[in-house]
Amino acid sequence: MANLEEIIAAAAKVFQTKGYHAATVQDIADAVGILKGSLYHHVKSKEDLLYLIVKEPIARIYERTAEIVASDLSAGEKLRRAILAHLEAFDQHYPHLFVYLREREEMKSRFREQFKLSPKQYERSWQQILREGVKSGEFRPDLDVQVVSYGLLGMLNWLYKWYDPRGRLSVREVADQFATLALAGLAADAKASRSRRAPGSRHLPQR
């Protein structure tokens, strides 16, 4: 008889492949190698399985990011570590977090009700790092913190479309690439550098 952990792992793969709405309880039972009736000894519904797949990884990444925000590190180092923590969670909980990103509209209310966790809470952690960087002078003063936080998370979350744990780069190498890109754009001297190049923009071809 399969245990709950094996059922959750199988369900994550089925949901990743077929999508939550298209997948059936029978698909999951087949993936585990048990009868559908036996599956109901462990879970009440497909919705319960979706919740079980992602609750621990999400709770951990929220907690880890909160720890980074509360540390005494510089804003730039906090951002670098938050990016790494986010991507390492993808790697360590593959494909569970991929399922969450694709199906998170199904999850929002349940996370708020049972764990008091929501995407807004996570976004606020990233926004706090950005505000600290602006205040300290590390990051550009003209940043729209909310918009930039959405942009950063959008870049990171898009991994679910292309990330392969067996790919050419390790997750740490991908995180380093993303951090380098983000910090270069956020750096306070990036605005000055762009301003110095601005006069030459009149020579650019018109679209």
Side-chain angles (χ1 to χ4, degrees):
M1 175 74 69
N3 59 37
L4 182 58
E5 186 175 332
E6 291 170 335
I7 291 170
I8 290 171
K13 292 178 181 177
V14 171
F15 289 161
Q16 183 196 23
T17 303
K18 293 194 169 187
Y20 171 71
H21 294 287
T24 66
V25 173
Q26 186 63 61
D27 291 329
I28 297 165
D30 290 343
V32 180
I34 61 176
L35 297 174
K36 184 168 70 172
S38 299
L39 198 65
Y40 288 116
H41 288 299
H42 297 276
V43 293
K44 294 179 180 179
S45 65
K46 187 174 74 167
E47 182 187 22
D48 280 343
L49 268 174
L50 180 59
Y51 170 69
L52 289 170
I53 283 169
V54 299
K55 69 167 186 170
E56 288 302 324
I58 292 299
R60 287 175 191 168
I61 188 59
Y62 281 24
E63 180 181 354
R64 175 60 185 139
T65 304
E67 290 172 355
I68 292 169
V69 173
S71 72
D72 294 329
L73 298 168
S74 68
E77 185 59 26
K78 286 182 182 182
L79 187 65
R80 184 176 290 279
R81 294 194 185 195
I83 288 172
L84 177 59
H86 190 98
L87 298 194
E88 281 188 329
F90 271 89
D91 189 57
Q92 293 165 6
H93 301 285
Y94 181 91
H96 300 62
L97 289 186
F98 289 71
V99 172
Y100 169 73
L101 286 174
R102 192 164 62 186
E103 313 296 349
R104 61 181 169 177
E105 292 303 318
E106 299 283 340
M107 307 300 301
K108 284 181 180 178
S109 61
R110 193 160 188 181
F111 270 102
R112 282 194 297 266
E113 292 166 5
Q114 296 196 14
F115 278 88
K116 310 303 180 188
L117 298 174
S118 74
K120 290 296 181 186
Q121 175 185 342
Y122 189 53
E123 290 162 9
R124 283 194 290 270
S125 292
W126 287 78
Q127 289 163 10
Q128 179 61 31
I129 294 173
L130 293 171
R131 278 191 290 269
E132 288 179 12
V134 172
K135 184 177 180 179
S136 69
E138 286 182 75
F139 298 162
R140 295 166 46 164
D142 61 334
L143 294 182
D144 185 306
V145 166
Q146 186 176 45
V147 170
V148 172
S149 70
Y150 292 161
L152 286 170
L153 289 171
M155 176 178 71
L156 299 178
N157 288 342
W158 196 248
L159 243 70
Y160 91 94
K161 286 287 191 179
W162 58 264
Y163 178 67
D164 182 350
R166 302 160 298 178
R168 180 171 54 85
L169 298 180
S170 70
V171 72
R172 282 184 168 271
E173 290 171 322
V174 174
D176 186 61
Q177 292 287 313
F178 278 7
T180 299
L181 175 65
L183 290 170
L186 295 173
D189 60 1
K191 182 182 179 183
S193 176
R194 187 179 65 177
S195 297
R196 287 195 297 270
R197 292 195 302 268
S201 63
R202 65 180 180 270
H203 299 297
L204 296 175
Q206 298 295 316
R207 293 191 176 186

